Amino acid sequence: MKDKNHGVVVAPGAGFCPGVKKAIDCVLHLEAAGKKPIYTIGPLIHNKQVTDMLAEKGITSIDELSQAKDKNGVLVIRAHGITPEFQAEVQSQGMEVVDSTCPLVKKVHNVIDEYAKQGYYTVIVGDGGHAEVIGLLGYTRGKGYVIANAEEAKNLPHFDKVNIVSQTTQKEETFFKAAEAVKAKADICQINNTICQPTKQRQKETLELAKNADLVIVVGGRHSANTARLAKLCGELCPKVIHVESEDEIRREDVLSPSNIFITAGASTPNWVIDNVASRVKNYRKEASSFSGTLGRIWDFIVKSSIFTALAAACLTYVCMKLSGARNDLKLYLLSAFFIFTLTFANKTPQDIPSKIKKRFLAPIVLGGLTAFAVSFNYGTGVWLPTLVFLILGAAAYPFRNRISFLSRLPGTKDIVTALGWCFVCVYVPAASQGLLMSKSAWLAFSYGLLLVFIRSVILSIGAENKDMMLGKESFYKAFGINATKTAIGLIIAALTAVLIQLLIMGWKSGIVFMLLLGQIYTIVIAVYFYSRKTPRTTASETFIDGQFFVLALLTYLAVRF
């Protein structure tokens, strides 16, 4: 019997390395601040999916400085770094310059520069044409050599004193063999292992896991040197290796027969691409056990297509209606479900949308929006007019999100607006339709729903961040950091709990309040679980997070029924 992963293991350290993450965060923050256009000197990373998404935000790659036509734009030095001479040329353009060189690459610059000042020659073990190596050579003061391996060391001259460094993504075994070969040709030799720790960790995982696999799938850009090097390393350990850029390159016949499949990725490959590849492989293998595989694919579709979130909104509507004293009305549940479905689907992060849905992306938005509006028309102008306005504004935020930058400059707007949108349809609409808008109960329900949905949105953002999705400061978590987020969510949960306890003491709707107090345990568990920052946003995590509204609805029903 196969395990729940169907014989598929994903490298724990796969995903963006810290240097790549820093560079992407840098350009996203610039874009959110309205700094446009943004030019990166060379591709920010060698991953087409990511560079295409950045281009949609007005962040484009240039090969020559003359291509930066708009002098009011920003020049960004990518993670690979550049030579000191080129740095001076960049600074002379009169444009704003942001240096996003990886700190670990900067460290190598400093090591080379320190020894070059003392008259040392420098030998770099790496790929001669790679952007990082070209940058490193610039710090050698004209006394630098590049070799790819120990064999090429034979062509080097004799050195009186030499400093040996490595390209940060080099294979460690290759570096040490080359260093020993160079050492034999020098009077004084200083060996500095400058391979970065994320690369070492990735190589260690590969050595441990690839040798036990029947098939290794390496995910990453065709032009990524570290991805190609990783694929070569895997080829020495496993009989079959496949290098793919996306899940669309996975062939069913390649992944059905191997007993154990190991999936790893280059440092410039985002987690969501890796997840998509892993999901495609697992789905193909699940089909062998047809019933469970079919159920898994159906549930994956329900969650990723926002249907599950829509049903969760209907559940929250039920809870808030009971808190505010509103009467049951099936149409109100339908309205909230279609309203939230439309806006959630329309504003989902592009890389989080299943590929099959992308082809028909507008149809669900239009149908969902029209249905929500049609239902709202039953409740008069005070309901259908704001519903129409919010639907149009919310859905339009998707195609025009990169042109309307003022909202993204305000920290946390995404999570705040999401909470307000849910409360509009889950609390305002039922209260307005039944004349309860000014009641204290309605305001209590509004406050409760607002804080609960805000917590949900922030926690989902943490999961999206851990999946290497493109998030800016419109996300509360990205704007304020993990510590401030922990504090804010902790205070909100404490405040909600305290209010519910006070209401229970006062005897106000004690049955419902007691059950909601029990439901707080679920919310606390979610917050604690995701504070680890290691849990990516997946179908399982979204089920877990939005499942709280189903639990709260069930608890409320039990309180009302019994």
Side-chain angles (χ1 to χ4, degrees), residues 433-446:
S433 66
Q434 298 185 19
L436 301 171
L437 201 55
M438 302 310 295
S439 69
K440 292 180 181 179
S441 296
W443 285 102
L444 175 65
F446 189 91

Side-chain angles (χ1 to χ4, degrees), residues 4 6 256 279 281-294 296-297:
K4 64 179 181 179
H6 296 268
L256 291 184
S279 294
V281 173
K282 290 175 184 177
N283 284 339
Y284 280 153
R285 291 165 72 85
K286 282 178 187 176
E287 289 172 359
S289 54
S290 58
F291 183 68
S292 62
T294 300
R297 288 194 302 276

Side-chain angles (χ1 to χ4, degrees), residues 264-402:
T264 187
S268 58
T269 309
N271 267 311
W272 60 267
V273 173
I274 302 167
D275 287 347
N276 287 347
V277 169
S279 294
R280 180 67 61 89
V281 173
K282 290 175 184 177
N283 284 339
Y284 280 153
R285 291 165 72 85
K286 282 178 187 176
E287 289 172 359
S289 54
S290 58
F291 183 68
S292 62
T294 300
L295 288 180
R297 288 194 302 276
I298 291 172
W299 187 251
D300 191 62
F301 171 80
I302 288 172
V303 174
K304 288 186 176 179
S305 63
S306 302
I307 295 173
F308 185 67
T309 302
L311 295 174
C315 287
L316 182 61
T317 301
Y318 174 78
V319 173
C320 291
M321 284 174 67
K322 294 308 171 186
L323 271 178
S324 64
R327 301 182 307 277
N328 271 335
D329 185 337
L330 178 61
K331 293 192 292 295
L332 291 174
Y333 301 135
L334 289 173
L335 174 56
S336 62
F338 279 103
F339 182 93
I340 294 301
F341 167 81
T342 301
L343 299 189
T344 303
F345 192 89
N347 288 282
K348 267 203 172 234
T349 309
Q351 59 262 39
D352 197 36
I353 300 165
S355 56
K356 292 181 180 179
I357 298 177
K358 288 179 183 177
K359 300 174 183 178
R360 302 181 295 275
F361 193 57
L362 286 178
I365 298 172
V366 173
L367 290 174
L370 287 175
T371 303
F373 174 67
V375 176
S376 72
F377 214 73
N378 290 281
Y379 299 104
T381 308
V383 171
W384 71 256
L385 184 58
T387 299
L388 178 62
V389 171
F390 291 145
L391 281 170
I392 293 173
L393 291 177
Y398 173 73
F400 300 111
R401 65 173 69 181
N402 297 326

